Amino acid sequence: MGKNIVLVGFMGTGKSAVGRILARELDREFIDMDSVIEARAGKAISALFADEGEPAFRALERALVQELSAASDRVIATGGGVVLNPVNLTDFNRNSLVVCLLARPETIVERVARDTHRPLLEGDADKAAAIRELLAKRQSLYEAIPLRVVTDQRTARAVAQEVLALYLGETRMDK
Ligand code: S3P
């Protein structure tokens, strides 16, 4: 049984795109946490935030982390806020290689500019300012993750190859 690969990082760092490629390469199941939460709640994340508030979303996210950290052999893309609760990372670290994807604010602005499904960036006339502010608040949490991959000006495929190399290096060391 192999460790999970868990991708964390701010919105727009490419967690889902990279995760999908990795899962295909490794012939593993891919789990996109936000999609699972949406399916279970029966509504989009933005509707969940609007109807029930962020704490309700965080509770569903926490429960899913607990469930997924008991599994193995999966590639898991988390939502950008999973790092806000340190216990989420403690749980994942037990049975997963946690890799943080990083990107500069300008890259993130470019990638999420046309999105309408990210509640934490909605309602802000100045999306770039909202991204900079939220990223500044969280930067230390992302930087604290030992394995980090910079994604600026790189394709999801190139980033996936780097994560794969980290994973294969790590699993070799475990033996
Ligand atoms: C969030 C990021 C989103 C989603 C929710 C909250 C965050 O996921 O989980 O809107 O707190 O950063 P993505 O990182 O996939 O956009």
Side-chain angles (χ1 to χ4, degrees):
M1 293 237 280
K3 279 186 175 189
N4 301 305
I5 298 179
V6 171
L7 299 174
V8 303
F10 197 74
M11 294 174 257
T13 52
K15 302 176 296 281
S16 302
V18 170
R20 222 168 268 125
I21 295 171
L22 276 170
R24 214 179 303 129
E25 293 260 329
L26 289 164
D27 198 19
R28 297 268 187 94
E29 187 182 347
F30 173 61
I31 310 272
D32 189 310
M33 286 187 56
D34 282 350
S35 303
V36 174
I37 292 170
E38 287 183 327
R40 289 184 181 174
K43 53 179 95 169
I45 302 283
S46 48
L48 185 58
F49 268 64
D51 298 348
E52 297 165 45
E54 184 173 344
F57 169 77
R58 296 294 170 205
L60 291 172
E61 186 177 52
R62 170 77 197 121
L64 185 54
V65 168
Q66 288 176 295
E67 192 180 315
L68 292 173
S69 17
S72 55
D73 290 309
R74 310 250 170 94
V75 178
I76 300 164
T78 63
V82 85
V83 295
L84 295 172
N85 184 349
V87 186
N88 285 337
L89 292 174
T90 308
D91 282 350
F92 273 143
N93 274 319
R94 263 187 228 117
N95 192 26
S96 309
L97 186 78
V98 178
V99 179
C100 183
L101 304 187
L102 299 171
R104 292 199 311 267
E106 307 82 74
T107 306
I108 292 168
V109 171
E110 221 169 81
R111 290 182 186 157
V112 308
R114 278 171 296 277
D115 280 4
T116 53
H117 63 271
R118 288 184 163 105
L120 294 177
L121 303 178
E122 290 315 303
D124 279 292
D126 188 348
K127 211 177 238 188
I131 288 169
R132 263 173 238 284
E133 197 181 314
L134 197 56
L135 188 57
K137 274 195 209 143
R138 293 187 181 168
Q139 196 64 25
S140 61
L141 299 173
Y142 297 125
E143 298 280 351
I145 292 162
L147 297 176
R148 300 183 301 278
V149 176
V150 173
T151 68
D152 300 280
Q153 293 175 326
R154 300 179 73 192
T155 61
R157 182 153 295 282
V159 174
Q161 287 311 320
E162 189 172 337
V163 176
L164 189 59
L166 290 172
Y167 182 73
L168 296 176
E170 166 95 5
T171 41
R172 231 172 272 132
M173 277 192 306
D174 282 350
K175 281 185 185 142

